[in-house]
Amino acid sequence: MRIVIAGGHGQIALRLERLLAARGDEVAGIIRKAEQADDLREAGAEPVVLDLESASVDEVAERLRGAEAAVFAAGAGPGSGATRKDTVDKAAAVLFADAAVKAGVRRFVVVSSMGADPGHEGDEIFDVYLRAKGEADAYVRGLNALDWTILRPGQLTDDAGTGLVRLEARTGRGPIPRDDVAAVLAELVDTSATAGLTLELISGPAPVSVAVKSVAGN
């Protein structure tokens, strides 16, 4: 498969790129800064320099043509202000989804956040973030041209992955290593039977492949 990842230099994205490249997929990662390119090459991915905050739908669609799947893993990051929650976590996700439709890429996986909700109240930065992610998720859900899956991990950690997770429509809160999030994403990209599902993810008792097959109904 050819898979294009938005936010290609993110902590989860770099892990995902390594997994996909190792299994023989062709991976491209969209990055904002040219100096990040070597990190992607080291992970086995083709770097694509493009700023999703200023690019047009046509420009992004051009980078997506020929792909079998797209993953939105971009984020403004914890140090960013409220404005970039809207321009990256919401607007860039909407742009990437529209570009996937235009490019004819049906399989579309979103890395969202547990608690994301367009109706979330509050004025703190994290409240704005959860609202922006929720609005982006709602937009993607409305696109019938995409076979979308939305993944909402719990509290992200840098602990070594265990390969054991809980993946359900509702899991309740809990931690999850970024390694295991990437492993789940690698399975989801390959499993269109999970299309139309919004899934929460925390550490749990089931091996990743078993958890994904379970929610896919296999």
Side-chain angles (χ1 to χ4, degrees), residues 119-141:
H120 183 85
E121 297 182 355
D123 300 317
E124 298 296 323
I125 294 293
F126 194 64
D127 297 321
V128 176
Y129 167 75
L130 290 177
R131 210 157 39 241
K133 293 296 281 186
E135 289 168 351
D137 291 354
Y139 184 84
V140 169
R141 286 196 195 103

Side-chain angles (χ1 to χ4, degrees), residues 161 178 203:
R178 288 177 172 87
S203 292

